[in-house]
Amino acid sequence: MWRGPELAHSRVWEWHLAPAQLDELDTALHAVRVRGTPLLRITADRFPLPALASQLAGVADELENGRGFVLVRRVPVGRFGPATAAVLLWGLGRHLGIPVSQNATGHMLGHIADPHEVRAARPFHTDEADTLALLCLRNDSGAGRAALASSAAVHNTVLARRPDLVDGLYRTHFLDRLGEQAPGQRPCNAVPLAHHAPERFSLRYDRHRLESAQRFPDVPRLTPGDLELFDRIDESAADPELRLDLDLAPGDLLLVNNHAVLHSLTAPADTTGPGPRFHALRLWLTPHRPRELPPDFWGDAHSLDGGRGGVAPRDVITPQSPTTRKPHDRPVRTPGPIRPVPR
């Protein structure tokens, strides 16, 4: 668990790539170009990083067992166009995990380039994958800014202020799939928001999708206690005493463990100019050694090629067997006494 002001001055979470490491990235890109390997067929073996691979393993450990995020500086995106930068991000990502689809059409690599999309980005939330990788390609005058908050710190803050609300995290909630469900799947995913293992706390949270699910008549209505809980999560994550603000520069690669860290991406309302002022590439990953989570934490979401989470593409999904739980069922999981998450 961490607090933003404590980390703002330390910079222990930054990794600046050295010239020799940049040369290794160039060599790996050259290997891909020589073989003509398509993006989706690039594996860690086909993107060789003899020295960097061990350091990336350390990054993966930090994401899972440390602060839950790392900011890699000086990725050389200025040398390349967006297509080559995408290969670079994909190659690095393959050393960290297995990419999963970000929408029902099977897009594995997302672009965030529309100023309206950035400005209208959701407040603090988690994505539907274990790990987020966000590579900044352009950020004119600081148009895009990221903010992070420790999920454990948010949990403990809510627990200290409103202990009567925290057990709601462990009850089944309904997340709108926003029309991207597969044939045979329900339009909402029924999942708990939190899982508390003896030494590890995991949180999923997306208020937009939680409230959007209310458009379905068979989804239980959110209670005043639910809304109060969401308010307290939003308030705690945005608290300057908890959050860490990051000014992303071109070449910054932000890696976030979605179970351990809430994130937000915002931009100012001024979007004048001929084109987007902010452009980033987004990759969702399942780590090679993902944390253990109960099956109901994912609902019936699944991915391919050994990944988990994400949004499975419609054209490769077989219809799922009907779930035995009816939409109006809302069982309460019993986590035991609600205590602060260990530091």
Side-chain angles (χ1 to χ4, degrees):
M1 186 179 75
W2 50 265
R3 291 172 177 266
E6 298 169 355
L7 295 184
H9 304 293
S10 69
R11 301 289 173 175
V12 295
W13 36 271
E14 289 187 353
W15 175 22
H16 291 259
L17 293 173
Q21 296 167 332
L22 298 178
D23 290 341
E24 192 165 277
L25 290 175
D26 281 336
T27 301
L29 284 170
H30 178 72
V32 169
R33 283 195 293 265
V34 167
R35 296 188 182 98
T37 308
L39 179 70
L40 297 183
R41 294 188 178 275
I42 296 174
T43 62
D45 290 339
R46 293 176 176 177
F47 198 84
L49 300 173
L52 272 173
S54 61
Q55 293 167 304
L56 288 170
V59 168
D61 183 70
E62 178 65 27
L63 291 175
E64 182 57 33
N65 301 307
R67 286 171 290 272
F69 76 97
V70 173
L71 183 61
V72 183
R73 301 281 198 185
R74 298 177 183 170
V75 178
V77 297
R79 303 182 193 174
F80 319 119
T84 304
V87 173
L88 182 59
L89 175 60
W90 185 275
L92 286 168
R94 292 300 273 136
H95 283 270
L96 293 170
I98 302 168
V100 298
S101 174
Q102 298 178 32
N103 57 36
T105 58
H107 291 165
M108 305 293 286
L109 193 64
H111 285 259
I112 302 176
D114 183 349
H116 174 73
E117 179 183 354
V118 177
R119 189 171 67 254
R122 299 186 300 277
F124 283 92
H125 66 284
T126 61
D127 292 340
E128 286 298 292
D130 292 279
T131 302
L132 163 69
L134 190 73
L135 178 60
C136 179
L137 303 183
R138 178 177 182 178
N139 194 0
D140 296 347
S141 303
R145 177 176 246 203
L148 308 177
S150 163
S151 297
V154 169
H155 170 277
N156 288 358
T157 300
V158 176
L159 177 62
R161 296 174 181 174
R162 290 296 306 273
D164 58 306
L165 298 176
V166 175
D167 64 346
L169 289 172
Y170 300 89
R171 190 171 66 246
T172 298
H173 289 268
F174 294 81
L175 291 166
D176 190 352
R177 281 186 155 122
L178 305 176
E180 295 194 310
Q181 68 272 13
Q185 288 183 325
R186 294 172 300 179
C188 296
N189 206 10
V191 293
L193 299 184
H195 174 66
H196 196 169
E199 297 183 357
R200 183 167 291 161
F201 175 73
S202 301
L203 177 71
R204 66 143 45 82
Y205 180 68
D206 188 334
R207 185 165 187 167
H208 168 68
R209 294 175 62 209
L210 287 163
E211 294 184 338
S212 177
Q214 295 292 289
R215 64 196 176 105
F216 299 105
D218 56 353
V219 168
R221 299 302 90 185
L222 292 170
T223 68
D226 292 330
L227 297 175
E228 181 70 11
L229 172 63
F230 301 162
D231 287 343
R232 298 290 75 79
I233 292 174
D234 294 342
E235 175 186 275
S236 299
D239 189 337
E241 293 300 314
L242 293 190
R243 79 171 192 264
L244 176 67
D245 293 324
L246 302 176
D247 291 315
L248 299 177
D252 285 350
L253 171 59
L254 178 61
L255 300 166
V256 175
N257 181 335
N258 277 302
H259 305 303
V261 177
L262 294 150
H263 68 274
S264 176
L265 183 65
T266 58
D270 178 16
T271 58
T272 58
R277 295 166 54 195
F278 180 82
H279 185 193
L281 298 174
R282 179 179 59 210
L283 191 64
W284 285 356
L285 298 166
T286 298
H288 293 304
R289 295 182 178 178
R291 67 175 57 188
E292 292 186 8
L293 291 165
D296 67 343
F297 198 78
W298 294 102
D300 57 0
H302 68 284
S303 293
L304 307 174
D305 299 326
R308 66 182 187 183
V311 182
R314 288 196 188 98
D315 59 351
V316 294
I317 305 174
T318 56
Q320 302 297 299
S321 300
T323 177
T324 56
R325 181 183 298 168
K326 298 178 181 179
H328 60 269
D329 290 341
R330 192 172 188 175
V332 176
R333 301 178 70 241
T334 306
I338 304 299
R339 301 187 179 95
V341 175
R343 292 181 178 273

